Amino acid sequence: MTKPKPQVKSPCVNLCLLNEDDVCVGCYRTGKEITLWGGMNKASQLAVMKKVRERESKSQFVSD
């Protein structure tokens, strides 16, 4: 039996709090992205990770 390929590692850091824009302050995913993560294919997860990096770079909690 072939083992399924691993999906993209979740960006979850166990700090789950959605801000007023419905974005988690811990992982920078939206509530919808968090809910759908486990059922997404790898391409969709990678697309979310791109958005995560963009949101994180604009965050007040990340310094340049």
Side-chain angles (χ1 to χ4, degrees), residues 51-64:
K51 292 176 189 175
V52 163
R53 287 188 296 276
E54 290 169 0
R55 291 179 191 129
E56 186 177 19
S57 70
K58 294 176 183 174
S59 169
Q60 65 184 4
F61 302 111
V62 178
S63 61
D64 293 331

Side-chain angles (χ1 to χ4, degrees), residues 13 15-19 22-31 34:
V13 294
L15 175 64
C16 305
L17 178 67
L18 297 176
N19 67 16
D22 193 41
V23 174
C24 178
V25 300
C27 70
Y28 298 97
R29 291 179 292 172
T30 65
I34 293 167

Side-chain angles (χ1 to χ4, degrees), residues 9-51:
K9 186 177 182 230
S10 169
C12 181
V13 294
N14 295 315
L15 175 64
C16 305
L17 178 67
L18 297 176
N19 67 16
E20 62 278 353
D21 296 320
D22 193 41
V23 174
C24 178
V25 300
C27 70
Y28 298 97
R29 291 179 292 172
T30 65
K32 185 175 181 179
E33 291 166 345
I34 293 167
T35 301
L36 298 176
W37 183 263
M40 289 180 180
N41 62 30
K42 188 174 182 177
S44 295
Q45 289 177 338
L46 289 172
V48 168
M49 289 304 296
K50 181 178 179 185
K51 292 176 189 175

